[in-house]
Amino acid sequence: MDSFGDTIRKLREDNELPLRTVAAFLDIDQAILSKIERGQRKPTREQVVKLAEYFKVKETDFLVAWLSDKLVYEVEDEDIALKALQVAEEKVKYITKNKGKK
Amino acid sequence: MDSFGDTIRKLREDNELPLRTVAAFLDIDQAILSKIERGQRKPTREQVVKLAEYFKVKETDFLVAWLSDKLVYEVEDEDIALKALQVAEEKVKYITKNKGKK
DNA sequence: ACCTGTTTTGACAGATTTTGTCAAATTTAG
DNA sequence: CTAAATTTGACAAAATCTGTCAAAACAGGT
């Protein structure tokens, strides 16, 4: 069960790229990328999109990994985490179902 | 499928209380409470807890409604919203399962 | 129409969080 | 030991959050 950070670290290491190179492509300091890879910082949506492009991964896959990480982060110190996620799921289903109506 | 704001508005109106009164209990301006009820502002965790106390509702129920609202807010303009929630659910299950280990 | 109390709106401000830079320290690989 | 790569932490600018305040809009009663 890898976090987004784990994923891009593996990709970067498999391609034997230094932080510097990838960070330059993202237009940020390598310190930030280092922290993102280790889960100390959350990347922005734009950075995730760029990373998908850079590593030639389906953008949607990266976005799902990133967004779900954010959700986990948001609920993780609540013991009602699971329940909240499930209720949120129902709400989203309800909302998309009634999209455009009324 | 009510949002947290809908819920407390109904409770307040059922008890025929003006915004002023409830807002005073929360120690905020009534303008904020008005916005919270209509979903224009997100209440803080502490406010949710106080509201549960005020309306004599189980704190957990309010926290679930509140947290799930926040989650919906966070994903709602992504078309991968549902998938992200589901992945987040898996991650949370995985994390709580391995709590205290390693 | 006119009061009176309630609610909503929007401009504003202070506090907090996010997002990043930079340089120094640490780690890793020869 | 050296050189490159990575990590750490102090700091700053920008963005977001949380609230106040006063004016505008609304609702009900007389």
Side-chain angles (χ1 to χ4, degrees):
Chain A
M1 182 78 50
D2 281 359
S3 67
F4 180 72
D6 296 329
T7 304
I8 59 174
R9 165 142 297 188
K10 280 179 186 166
L11 277 169
R12 184 175 62 79
E13 289 179 341
D14 287 354
N15 291 66
E16 302 188 15
L17 297 162
L19 285 169
R20 183 171 26 84
T21 307
V22 181
F25 181 78
L26 296 181
D27 203 31
I28 56 174
D29 193 276
Q30 56 177 218
I32 294 190
L33 183 54
S34 167
K35 286 165 185 168
I36 289 173
E37 288 187 346
R38 283 166 305 113
Q40 288 186 7
R41 286 271 182 120
K42 287 174 293 181
T44 66
R45 194 184 194 285
E46 287 63 39
Q47 287 160 355
V48 172
V49 170
K50 280 193 178 180
L51 284 166
E53 177 195 351
Y54 191 82
F55 289 118
K56 309 212 186 322
V57 170
K58 250 188 24 206
E59 182 176 303
T60 291
D61 291 345
F62 265 16
L63 286 176
V64 168
W66 162 76
L67 229 200
S68 60
D69 267 11
K70 283 214 302 180
L71 295 175
V72 169
Y73 177 81
E74 185 134 348
V75 302
E76 71 188 345
D77 35 351
E78 297 278 356
D79 51 356
I80 56 167
L82 250 188
K83 192 155 298 180
L85 282 166
Q86 289 160 351
V87 173
E89 218 176 292
E90 293 310 309
K91 287 179 179 172
V92 166
K93 283 178 187 165
Y94 179 81
I95 290 166
T96 55
K97 188 182 194 178
N98 294 38
K99 197 176 293 174
K101 286 195 187 159
K102 259 237 160 177
Chain B
M1 183 76 49
D2 280 359
S3 67
F4 179 72
D6 296 330
T7 304
I8 59 174
R9 166 143 296 188
K10 280 179 185 166
L11 277 168
R12 184 175 64 78
E13 289 179 341
D14 287 352
N15 292 67
E16 302 188 16
L17 297 161
L19 285 170
R20 183 170 30 81
T21 307
V22 181
F25 180 79
L26 297 181
D27 203 32
I28 55 173
D29 194 276
Q30 57 177 214
I32 294 189
L33 183 54
S34 168
K35 286 167 186 169
I36 288 173
E37 288 187 345
R38 284 166 305 110
Q40 288 186 8
R41 288 271 182 119
K42 286 175 292 182
T44 66
R45 194 184 194 285
E46 286 62 41
Q47 287 161 354
V48 172
V49 170
K50 280 193 178 180
L51 285 166
E53 177 194 350
Y54 192 82
F55 288 118
K56 308 211 187 322
V57 171
K58 252 191 17 207
E59 182 177 302
T60 292
D61 291 346
F62 265 17
L63 286 175
V64 168
W66 162 74
L67 230 201
S68 60
D69 267 11
K70 283 214 302 180
L71 295 175
V72 169
Y73 177 80
E74 186 134 347
V75 302
E76 70 189 347
D77 34 351
E78 297 276 358
D79 51 357
I80 56 166
L82 249 189
K83 192 156 296 181
L85 282 166
Q86 289 159 351
V87 172
E89 217 176 294
E90 293 310 311
K91 287 179 177 171
V92 165
K93 283 178 187 165
Y94 178 83
I95 290 167
T96 54
K97 188 183 194 179
N98 293 39
K99 196 176 293 173
K101 286 193 186 161
K102 258 235 164 179

